[in-house]
Amino acid sequence: MALYKYHPKPSGRMGALWTLATIKGAIVLEFGSMGHMVYAKRWLEQAGYSKDCMAFVTHLDEKDIALGITDRIDRALEEILKKYRTEAVFLIPSSVPEVIGTDMEAVCEELNHRYEGLPILYFPCGSFSWDCHKGIETVLYELCRKLPERTLKSGELTCNIIGSVIDLHLFEADAREIERMLRRAFDMKVSCVLSTRAEVMDIKKLGEAD
């Protein structure tokens, strides 16, 4: 059998990162080792998403792993927020805190109390048990569940496109074609394309669409 049939499948972490990194106005913070985000950012840069991607990593050492210390998340977020303005923070784990069972949801809850008014969302990545599609599915679900705000309908014939993510070939062209068809066939406007061309404010207003 040909060698290409054995290519490694991307993990749930990569699926989560692909989905979150293209959202404008947000910061992705990974609780992981120092060089873990370098490859991911390089890949996103090659794919043409370096401008949109605000991705950072906290760094981990042996003491953090052995004792379950999460102080680096607080320090990293504080430093990032001093330099960058953001409308939301997306917290993801690397495989290490997933495997050792770090309670990232509790950390996220504490951060939300500390930074009131700034949505800080945690996205599980499934350690080694998830592939990229499960990571994408989980992130889209959590975004739609946690980030949108209660709002009134826009009064226009509008819709959202959910599921346009960089795991598929020509995903951007597909989303543009869907928009064109909806506009020409139904005179319908697309409010948000999640997550290819989404901004944080677009996701918060998902409920405005008919």
Side-chain angles (χ1 to χ4, degrees):
M1 191 176 286
L3 179 62
Y4 71 87
K5 293 184 181 294
Y6 295 101
H7 73 281
K9 292 182 179 179
S11 65
R13 169 188 171 271
M14 287 305 297
L17 187 58
W18 288 346
T19 310
L20 294 171
T22 55
I23 298 175
K24 299 177 184 66
I27 283 173
V28 181
L29 178 60
E30 180 186 29
F31 185 39
S33 56
M34 184 167 54
H36 209 186
M37 194 63 76
V38 175
Y39 166 76
K41 289 194 73 171
R42 179 63 177 161
W43 188 94
L44 288 161
E45 184 179 333
Q46 291 175 339
Y49 290 95
S50 57
K51 292 181 181 178
D52 298 337
C53 180
M54 296 284 287
F56 303 90
V57 67
T58 60
H59 182 36
L60 272 173
D61 62 17
E62 295 85 353
K63 191 175 179 182
D64 299 325
I65 297 169
L67 301 178
I69 299 172
T70 58
D71 293 350
R72 291 182 186 272
I73 300 176
D74 302 346
R75 297 201 300 269
L77 186 56
E78 184 178 353
E79 186 177 338
I80 291 166
L81 293 178
K82 284 180 181 178
K83 295 183 67 175
Y84 302 97
R85 288 188 61 187
T86 184
E87 297 169 3
V89 175
F90 302 142
L91 185 62
I92 63 172
S94 68
S95 57
V96 174
E98 285 271 58
V99 169
I100 66 176
T102 304
D103 192 350
M104 298 288 288
E105 291 186 14
V107 172
C108 189
E109 190 173 339
E110 289 179 6
L111 291 172
N112 273 294
H113 284 298
R114 187 172 306 167
Y115 298 98
E116 193 172 350
L118 176 64
I120 301 175
L121 310 183
Y122 166 64
F123 297 91
C125 296
S127 186
F128 297 109
S129 60
W130 291 5
D131 63 9
C132 64
H133 301 296
K134 182 64 176 177
I136 291 168
E137 177 187 341
T138 301
V139 167
L140 289 173
Y141 173 73
E142 292 296 325
L143 281 171
C144 292
R145 187 170 74 92
K146 294 179 178 177
L147 202 52
E149 300 173 343
R150 288 186 177 275
T151 182
L152 300 174
K153 299 294 182 184
S154 64
E156 301 178 275
L157 186 59
T158 56
C159 70
N160 302 307
I161 297 175
I162 298 175
S164 176
V165 186
I166 61 180
D167 64 321
L168 298 176
H169 182 56
L170 296 177
F171 62 98
E172 286 184 301
D174 288 345
R176 287 196 298 270
E177 179 63 11
I178 293 170
E179 284 190 73
R180 187 193 68 80
M181 292 170 65
L182 290 170
R183 185 175 65 253
R184 296 288 294 274
F186 305 107
D187 196 24
M188 184 180 295
K189 178 184 175 184
V190 174
S191 298
C192 178
V193 181
L194 189 63
S195 63
T196 305
R197 294 201 309 278
E199 298 186 15
V200 172
M201 290 307 299
D202 295 335
I203 304 173
K204 287 183 177 181
K205 296 179 181 178
L206 281 178
E208 288 186 355
D210 290 323

